Amino acid sequence: MTASTNGIFQADDIRAAIGSGVIGLGAEAGTAQIQPASLDLTLGAKAWRVRAAFLPGREKTVEGRLEEGLGLHELDLTEGAVLEKGCVYLVKLRESLTLPFGVFARANPKSSTGRIDVFVRLVTDMGTSYETVPAGYDGPLYAEISPRTFSILVREGSSLNQLRIRRGQSALSDDELSALHVADPLVTGVADIEGGLRVSVDLGGSLGGIIGYRARRHTGLIDIDKVGALAPDDFFEPIPRPTNGFLILDPDEFYILASREELRMPRDLAAEMVPIDTDLGAFRVHYAGFFDPGFGLEAPSRAVLEVRGYDAPFVLEHGQTVARLSFERLSGEPALAYGAGMKSNYQGQSLRLSKHFNMG
């Protein structure tokens, strides 16, 4: 029915969970939603523009809170609708969960969602925290969506976030990570392991003359479901390699940067990048934090960093630590890992915008 060993559910476990009713899918669901260690979630037909982001609390449902005055108006996504930047929306997802005790779930935005500065968080009935679904939960799922820089076009069936299901605790300790890196390197060069695997930023030009991109403010619309349809220069300005070795992050600006390290994700492990780490600086470095088993094994692959500055300008130095990756075991090795066999979009990436852009 579901995985019997501790760890993140891999693809076969997800299929079994669907078959047993632990995961409820929409009528139009397909096998393309199942990834090596996660399930792509899809938007339903009903959405609401809301006054502000909110959590329902321990005794209330999401729709109950909307009826209390938090909902402004309802949108029909069956033919598509524009979600305006600077606004907050709530969308009922086509998927639902009936989790057994001992099994819980966590969500994250998809890579392509984070790279266009769309802030997405999972919400549940009686929820007191974002992105987490507690063991024993039985009910619907919702996505809170807040486009920050670009307005987006979505429709029923569009996919903006993904779900990982796990049984028990299976996180690797620093000692286990260190031993693993010695036996099978996780990154190029020396691994900086403290509270997880530390990742640094490349501002030194090893990727060429361009070290990143800064989002433009007044652009056209991004259709979430169209791949390779947009010209990068219409939405981003390239950032040349700084001659002084540092980049000043302006408050409330959005940047795409890349890690100095090339990552290698073993086939029996998955990782998540901590999105905000106040120990490392006054910025958010990643919206979409899931790294699938097999990432970087077929070809050198860097982490693309979705960076947003906060209240004050902040100096980012070449080689500065900007994020930490926590690793977890899977319940078993998936038959297919991230890569060419699954037509994965970002295998072998260096500095890369989202799949919506034609990078030539």
Side-chain angles (χ1 to χ4, degrees):
M1 184 176 71
T2 59
S4 57
T5 57
N6 285 354
I8 293 172
F9 282 26
Q10 48 92 6
D12 286 343
D13 302 321
I14 294 171
R15 293 187 185 94
I18 292 168
S20 66
V22 168
I23 302 172
L25 297 183
E28 303 301 321
T31 56
Q33 284 183 243
I34 301 174
Q35 304 302 322
S38 63
L39 176 74
D40 289 348
L41 301 174
T42 56
L43 304 183
K46 186 185 292 188
W48 298 265
R49 165 82 188 279
V50 296
R51 294 168 61 184
F54 68 90
L55 288 166
R58 295 186 185 280
E59 298 181 356
K60 294 186 178 181
T61 66
V62 170
E63 295 193 29
R65 293 303 306 274
L66 292 170
E67 293 169 359
E68 292 176 353
L70 291 176
L72 294 176
H73 62 267
E74 191 172 312
L75 293 81
D76 183 356
L77 302 187
T78 53
E79 299 298 326
V82 173
L83 306 186
E84 299 283 354
K85 66 178 180 180
C87 300
V88 183
Y89 301 86
L90 202 67
V91 182
K92 189 172 185 178
L93 299 176
R94 296 197 292 191
E95 295 75 30
S96 61
L97 289 177
T98 304
L99 295 180
F101 288 100
V103 175
F104 53 101
R106 181 167 175 81
N108 244 222
K110 296 177 66 174
S111 293
S112 298
T113 306
R115 294 186 201 195
I116 55 173
D117 201 18
V118 177
F119 193 37
V120 180
R121 297 186 289 190
L122 188 76
V123 183
T124 65
D125 285 344
M126 279 72 77
T128 57
S129 61
Y130 288 109
E131 302 284 54
T132 59
V133 188
Y137 179 79
D138 184 4
L141 303 173
Y142 299 83
E144 177 195 287
I145 304 170
S146 180
R148 304 296 304 276
T149 299
F150 310 116
S151 296
I152 59 174
L153 175 63
V154 301
R155 54 190 59 80
E156 184 180 11
S158 297
S159 183
L160 297 178
N161 60 344
Q162 55 195 333
L163 189 77
R164 277 185 177 168
I165 302 174
R166 54 175 56 78
R167 181 187 296 278
Q169 298 297 325
S170 57
L172 272 68
S173 68
D174 285 353
D175 288 343
E176 290 173 316
L177 272 183
S178 298
L180 176 62
H181 177 69
V182 170
D184 189 10
L186 300 171
V187 295
T188 50
V190 177
D192 183 1
I193 296 174
E194 183 182 348
L197 177 67
R198 293 189 167 215
V199 176
S200 63
V201 64
D202 188 347
L203 304 180
S206 66
L207 300 171
I210 302 301
I211 56 91
Y213 297 91
R214 184 202 310 262
R216 300 186 187 277
R217 281 289 185 177
H218 306 288
T219 69
L221 193 66
I222 295 179
D223 187 328
I224 287 294
D225 298 320
K226 290 189 176 178
V227 176
L230 301 174
D233 288 346
D234 291 340
F235 292 81
F236 288 90
E237 58 177 308
I239 304 172
R241 180 178 64 84
T243 57
N244 51 17
F246 63 83
L247 174 68
I248 297 178
L249 302 178
D250 291 322
D252 206 33
E253 294 287 340
F254 182 68
Y255 303 82
I256 295 291
L257 303 172
S259 69
R260 187 173 58 167
E261 300 83 3
E262 293 171 348
L263 303 178
R264 298 180 72 257
M265 197 65 53
R267 291 176 61 98
D268 60 346
L269 296 180
E272 181 175 357
M273 186 173 283
V274 178
I276 302 175
D277 192 335
T278 54
D279 291 342
L280 300 180
F283 52 87
R284 181 186 181 101
V285 76
H286 219 269
Y287 287 12
F290 286 167
F291 286 76
D292 272 341
F295 178 83
L297 289 185
E298 294 177 357
S301 302
R302 306 200 186 203
V304 167
L305 309 171
E306 303 136 10
V307 179
R308 172 172 283 278
Y310 279 161
D311 297 332
F314 186 81
V315 174
L316 202 58
E317 306 271 359
H318 172 63
Q320 181 173 339
T321 299
V322 292
R324 288 187 284 202
L325 280 170
S326 60
F327 286 73
E328 287 190 65
R329 296 181 182 85
L330 302 184
S331 57
E333 186 174 311
L336 280 178
Y338 194 91
M342 297 196 66
K343 299 181 179 179
S344 304
N345 290 303
Y346 303 119
Q347 185 74 295
Q349 70 180 0
S350 53
L351 179 65
R352 173 79 186 274
L353 296 178
S354 76
K355 65 182 181 181
H356 307 99
F357 298 94
N358 183 356
M359 299 296 288

